[in-house]
Amino acid sequence: MKHLLVLALAATAVFAHAQTFPGSRPISIVVPFAAGGPTDRVARDLAEAMRKSMGGTANFVVENVNGAGGTIGASKVSKATPDGHTLLLHHIGMAAASGLYRKLPYKPLEDFEYLGMINEVPMTIIGKPQLPANNYRDFENYIRLNSGKLNIAHAGLGSASHLCGLMWQAAINAKEAMTTIPFSGTAPAMNALVGGQVDVMCDQTTNTSGQIEAGRVKAFAVTTAKPLSGNKLLKDYPTLQEMGLKGFDLSIWHGLYAPKGTPPAVLAQLNTALKLALKDPDFLKKQDSLGAVVITDKRVDPAAHKAFVASEINKLKPVIDAAGKYAD
Ligand code: ASP
């Protein structure tokens, strides 16, 4: 009898927990890159929009777990307690790392619950302000003339900036022209570029727009297939395709994930909050001003987002193989 009572009390406690998620404990959004960078920025803006969309019942904190091109933070979340209190906000690295690492400490398609896709973000090829070139053609010539003397910064092996740099160097046939310098995110990499300690970087417009506008870095091209005609700041920069790099098309995306085994009711609650957040006028305005396009199609749903990531893994693998570099 006493036994039954204990069981009944335990069941009530579990039910009460499911009913009261998130409760008073904060929801931690793990960003696998340094604070102040583009992934961090999306996470902080999204955290605020989700706090609002959950009616102020949830406190969100953003935790930067940087290193190894995003794989340390992703690995940490894959092993976290699956109770909805630890989430991962990651970008295209969720798909690219499978092609860039021989061995990953997690399985991107098996070790996570997919919550939904957030946005798509173009990338820009930028250089330090002291570079003599003022347009893409002169910039490419400058790279060839200074082959072996230049540095290209990125956010670690497996990051979006690493992927972009790899694809671009392969496309211009300049794989040996630049030494890669890894940082814990493109926030510190950007500081080094602005300060002239590194020469080149390819990074999300969510990080580069402000610096381009302020004249602290030089922009040379955008990585999308089509020009960014709707973007006041970037509309006049050529695409890499227009500069002769046939088929070059890179747009990165962000998604939200929970550890495998997070209860379905909690996942449903988080997905609803995410979808509402993606319609939040303040969030939309901020994203638009940084050149990001918030997702409105079915990829805001877990199954479609997961199918998209699976297709990205298949699409990127041969591109990375052709560019020719394993991270580890
Ligand atoms: N932009 C970075 C990347 O290249 C990540 C970051 O610092 O947010 O992957």
Side-chain angles (χ1 to χ4, degrees):
M1 187 63 191
K2 197 172 157 210
H3 212 73
L4 274 181
L5 190 68
V6 171
L7 271 182
L9 283 173
T12 314
V14 168
F15 183 69
H17 176 77
Q19 290 277 295
T20 57
F21 175 80
S24 57
R25 273 172 57 216
I27 299 173
S28 166
I29 300 186
V30 171
V31 168
F33 296 102
T39 317
D40 181 69
R41 178 174 286 210
V42 172
R44 286 174 201 273
D45 291 347
L46 185 76
E48 172 55 15
M50 283 181 76
R51 189 191 64 76
K52 282 201 257 166
S53 72
M54 289 175 87
T57 58
N59 288 319
F60 285 85
V61 291
V62 172
E63 196 190 340
N64 299 89
V65 183
N66 359 304
T71 59
I72 294 177
S75 175
K76 180 174 173 175
V77 175
S78 74
K79 292 168 186 68
T81 308
D83 58 4
H85 286 277
T86 310
L87 308 178
L88 171 71
L89 192 145
H90 204 350
H91 60 28
I92 194 169
M94 191 74 174
S98 310
L100 285 162
Y101 282 77
R102 284 201 178 87
K103 230 173 127 196
L104 272 181
Y106 56 89
K107 295 193 180 72
L109 294 173
E110 290 166 38
D111 295 346
F112 297 91
E113 306 288 354
Y114 280 58
L115 284 165
M117 191 159 153
I118 302 162
N119 63 7
E120 281 177 312
V121 192
M123 299 192 85
T124 45
I125 305 275
I126 55 176
K128 66 178 180 185
Q130 299 86 351
L131 287 180
N134 287 317
N135 61 55
Y136 183 80
R137 292 241 183 273
D138 289 353
F139 177 52
E140 229 190 87
N141 286 337
Y142 178 80
I143 291 171
R144 290 186 205 293
L145 287 172
N146 290 280
S147 185
K149 294 188 205 145
L150 302 173
N151 294 319
I152 180 164
H154 62 63
L157 307 174
S159 63
S161 42
H162 175 222
L163 174 70
C164 180
L166 206 61
M167 287 169 62
W168 173 58
Q169 282 170 273
I172 62 172
N173 216 352
K175 277 196 219 168
E176 311 302 326
M178 287 174 268
T179 305
T180 53
I181 311 284
F183 289 81
S184 60
T186 45
M190 181 62 89
N191 286 340
L193 193 74
V194 171
Q197 288 96 32
V198 293
D199 303 293
V200 182
M201 182 160 77
C202 174
D203 199 27
Q204 285 102 300
T205 57
T206 34
N207 197 30
T208 63
S209 297
Q211 307 290 357
I212 297 169
E213 195 166 18
R216 284 192 283 264
V217 295
K218 283 189 176 179
F220 296 109
V222 298
T223 62
T224 41
K226 292 198 185 115
L228 302 178
S229 350
N231 182 300
K232 263 199 268 151
L233 177 70
L234 301 167
K235 64 180 177 4
D236 296 326
Y237 289 99
T239 66
L240 288 174
Q241 287 205 27
E242 285 169 329
M243 292 294 97
L245 309 187
K246 242 179 120 209
F248 201 106
D249 180 14
L250 183 64
S251 203
I252 77 109
W253 40 266
H254 294 93
L256 195 63
Y257 312 90
K260 188 85 196 166
T262 305
V266 170
L267 293 173
Q269 211 176 320
L270 287 166
N271 177 255
T272 304
L274 172 66
K275 281 184 182 159
L276 283 171
L278 299 188
K279 294 192 175 126
D280 178 278
D282 290 338
F283 182 72
L284 287 168
K285 209 165 129 200
K286 281 185 201 151
Q287 293 293 297
D288 184 52
S289 70
L290 295 168
V293 179
V294 174
I295 300 299
T296 52
D297 59 45
K298 60 183 174 29
R299 290 173 299 173
V300 293
D301 285 318
H305 179 44
K306 190 169 179 177
F308 172 74
V309 176
S311 73
E312 286 281 280
I313 291 175
N314 291 335
K315 187 178 110 187
L316 288 171
K317 178 94 173 73
V319 176
I320 291 166
D321 286 348
K325 220 177 238 161
Y326 271 117
D328 203 353

